[in-house]
Amino acid sequence: MKSIIESVREYFLDCPYLEDDVRLNIDFLGDKPLEYGIYTEPINPIIKRYVDGDELKQFGFIFTTRNYMSGDLVTQLENSAFFDDLIEWIQEQNYMKVFPILEGDRHPTKLEIVTNGYLSSADTGSSQYQIQMRLVYMEVNNG
């Protein structure tokens, strides 16, 4: 069965704001721009257990980028604007009920944005931005 993080990665590959020739890594981000990465977050996966055995669950993750950085205001604004566009795309997908496709008896209900995109580190020549999210889904236990 496909992992949730693999499904999340495939979901983001459809985002029109990601550059086509740029890698989208799992739990890795290189030190040279431009790269994207998805990291799992330590989070209690169970939100609620129901008497019939079904569970409302969550998968926490960080979407991060390694971008070019300079003292040029245009570059800084472009880096920040990427996350504005990404958030808008996610909200549109939620409205249309387009979520990562999960296998088994797992049914996504929303992709929630936990933080805005923010600068997490910067060096001369590159910067790392990230946004925290969580995928909420119902897991049906037919037992």
Side-chain angles (χ1 to χ4, degrees):
M1 183 161 58
K2 186 187 308 181
S3 68
I4 294 175
I5 197 165
E6 185 177 355
S7 296
V8 168
R9 181 183 182 274
E10 289 175 358
Y11 169 84
F12 280 104
L13 288 174
D14 288 335
C15 178
Y17 299 108
L18 271 64
E19 306 257 346
D20 290 334
D21 58 344
V22 176
R23 287 181 48 170
L24 177 54
N25 301 298
I26 300 293
D27 291 334
F28 174 80
L29 188 67
D31 58 356
K32 302 277 190 251
L34 181 67
E35 281 195 21
Y36 309 113
I38 299 171
Y39 288 83
T40 57
E41 279 235 289
I43 190 171
N44 182 353
I46 298 171
I47 297 172
K48 185 174 184 176
R49 280 194 175 100
Y50 297 93
V51 293
D52 63 359
D54 294 351
E55 296 173 324
L56 184 62
K57 291 187 166 185
Q58 61 184 346
F59 175 77
F61 65 96
I62 296 172
F63 184 96
T64 187
T65 64
R66 169 77 58 203
N67 296 340
Y68 293 100
M69 179 55 91
S70 72
D72 178 40
L73 182 60
V74 172
T75 301
Q76 297 164 6
L77 289 171
E78 286 174 354
N79 289 341
S80 183
F82 169 81
F83 283 97
D84 292 341
D85 293 337
L86 183 65
I87 288 169
E88 184 177 322
W89 181 79
I90 292 166
Q91 290 170 337
E92 289 170 0
Q93 298 304 299
N94 275 330
Y95 179 76
M96 295 184 300
K97 302 209 180 301
V98 176
F99 305 111
I101 298 169
L102 303 179
E103 293 186 349
D105 289 328
R106 299 178 295 191
H107 310 282
T109 60
K110 66 181 169 179
L111 183 57
E112 190 172 87
I113 298 161
V114 178
T115 65
N116 289 327
Y118 61 92
L119 179 66
S120 61
S121 69
D123 297 314
T124 303
S126 76
S127 60
Q128 182 176 338
Y129 288 81
Q130 64 186 37
I131 184 172
Q132 294 172 284
M133 294 179 245
R134 73 179 187 145
L135 176 64
V136 178
Y137 63 97
M138 181 66 72
E139 186 167 301
V140 178
N141 296 308
N142 297 320

